[in-house]
């Protein structure tokens, strides 16, 4: 197997596989006792972070939108504002989710690595714990790069008229960032370096987009959002294992 050419499923089927991997992973965490035990500590920690993220979004989201682009009083800009508004809200929600994912990854990284190892070894794929220096710290930097890119496009999205494409691109970057955080433990424990993981992400954009969309949606569901991160790690690891088995 040439790991330099390995990727998640591509195209529309890849997008659908990415979407489906998240609920499958959540279901597996709920039904597999060892995975539930591994998920328990990061789940308790991220519960606090999750509640804080939701409260911050509700409390400051509207003010942020109004500060970025106050509602025009009349004319065609008023109608354009109504078009940009839902896109801006969506982007803010996804960026908050990505920030939440980054912090959750920082506190739960070692546990997510062990969850990926359990899934992969169950599929007969050798894996080993990368340790703190090889895993968690570089991954925080990777996640922050996605956050910075999504926020940058988010700021540009509030430019009247030309901002809509920036909102779409920013949302897509944030979705891929969420998915990259989910599949990253599987790549890490199977020996991918930083460059190898980046190339894998670039080869797997369709599946990552679907996975990120599903994670973002689940994060918005009360209570279900608490298990979105560990569930997506398990689902992404299983999808990665399937890709390794493919001829």
């Amino acid at each position: 197997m040439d790991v330099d050419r390995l990727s998640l499923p591509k195209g529309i089927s890849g997008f659908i596989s990415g979407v489906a991997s998240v609920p499958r992973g959540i279901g597996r965490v709920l039904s597999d006792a060892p995975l539930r035990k591994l998920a328990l500590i990061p789940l308790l920690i991220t519960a606090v972070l999750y509640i804080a993220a939701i409260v911050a979004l509700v409390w400051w989201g509207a003010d942020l939108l109004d500060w970025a682009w106050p509602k025009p009083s009349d004319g065609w800009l008023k109608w354009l504002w109504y078009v940009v508004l839902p896109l801006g809200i969506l982007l803010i929600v996804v960026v908050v989710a990505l920030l939440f994912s980054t912090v959750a990854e920082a506190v739960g990284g070692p546990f997510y690595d062990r969850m990926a190892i359990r899934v992969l070894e169950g599929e007969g794929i050798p894996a080993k714990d990368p340790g703190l220096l090889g895993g968690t710290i570089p991954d925080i930097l990777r996640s922050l790069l996605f956050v910075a890119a999504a926020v940058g496009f988010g700021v540009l999205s509030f430019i009247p008229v030309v901002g809509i494409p920036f909102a779409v691109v920013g949302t897509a970057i944030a979705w891929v960032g969420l998915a990259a955080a989910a599949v990253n433990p599987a790549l890490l424990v199977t020996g991918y370096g930083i460059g190898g993981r980046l190339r894998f992400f670039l080869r797997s954009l369709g599946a990552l987009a679907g996975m990120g969309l599903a994670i973002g949606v689940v994060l918005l569901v009360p209570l279900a959002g608490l298990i979105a991160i560990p569930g997506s790690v398990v689902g992404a690891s299983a999808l990665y294992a399937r890709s390794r088995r493919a001829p």
Side-chain angles (χ1 to χ4, degrees):
M1 181 194 61
D2 185 356
V3 295
D4 288 332
R5 305 179 79 175
L6 182 66
S7 71
L8 298 180
K10 298 179 182 293
I12 297 299
S13 63
F15 181 85
I16 295 172
S17 296
V19 171
S21 70
V22 176
R24 287 174 181 169
I26 291 173
R28 187 165 177 178
V29 171
L30 294 175
S31 63
D32 187 311
L35 287 176
R36 285 202 307 272
K37 290 179 181 178
L38 286 171
L40 182 60
I41 292 178
L43 188 66
L44 293 175
I45 296 172
T46 54
V48 177
L49 300 174
Y50 177 75
I51 293 171
I54 294 298
V55 170
L57 182 63
V58 172
W59 193 265
W60 286 299
D63 291 338
L64 179 60
L65 282 171
D66 188 61
W67 170 81
W69 187 11
K71 180 180 178 181
S73 58
D74 54 23
W76 65 273
L77 281 177
K78 178 180 179 180
W79 296 106
L80 181 62
W81 186 88
Y82 280 112
V83 174
V84 173
L85 177 65
L87 291 174
I89 292 174
L90 174 62
L91 183 54
I92 290 173
V93 168
V94 176
V95 168
V96 169
L98 185 54
L99 284 167
F100 167 75
S101 173
T102 300
V103 180
E105 188 176 4
V107 298
F111 295 93
Y112 298 144
D113 292 344
R114 293 185 192 119
M115 294 172 76
I117 289 172
R118 174 170 175 78
V119 172
L120 294 171
E121 289 184 340
E123 300 288 346
I125 298 173
K128 64 178 182 179
D129 193 330
L132 181 65
L133 292 178
T136 303
I137 294 176
D139 293 337
I140 293 173
L141 297 176
R142 170 193 46 76
S143 295
L144 289 176
L145 286 175
F146 276 105
V147 171
V151 170
F153 278 96
V155 172
L156 294 174
S157 72
F158 290 103
I159 299 175
V161 184
V162 299
I164 295 177
F166 291 115
V168 173
V169 173
T171 301
I173 289 174
W175 278 347
V176 172
L178 288 170
V183 75
N184 186 71
L187 300 177
L188 190 61
V189 301
T190 51
Y192 278 81
I194 295 175
R197 279 176 274 163
L198 177 59
R199 290 190 293 272
F200 184 93
F201 297 151
L202 293 174
R203 292 193 298 268
S204 307
L205 290 177
L208 292 179
M211 195 183 301
L213 171 60
I215 296 169
V217 170
V218 176
L219 282 171
L220 295 178
V221 179
L223 300 182
L226 296 176
I227 202 169
I229 304 301
S232 66
V233 169
V234 170
S237 298
L239 189 60
Y240 169 74
R242 193 177 84 187
S243 298
R244 285 186 64 124
R245 293 195 311 269

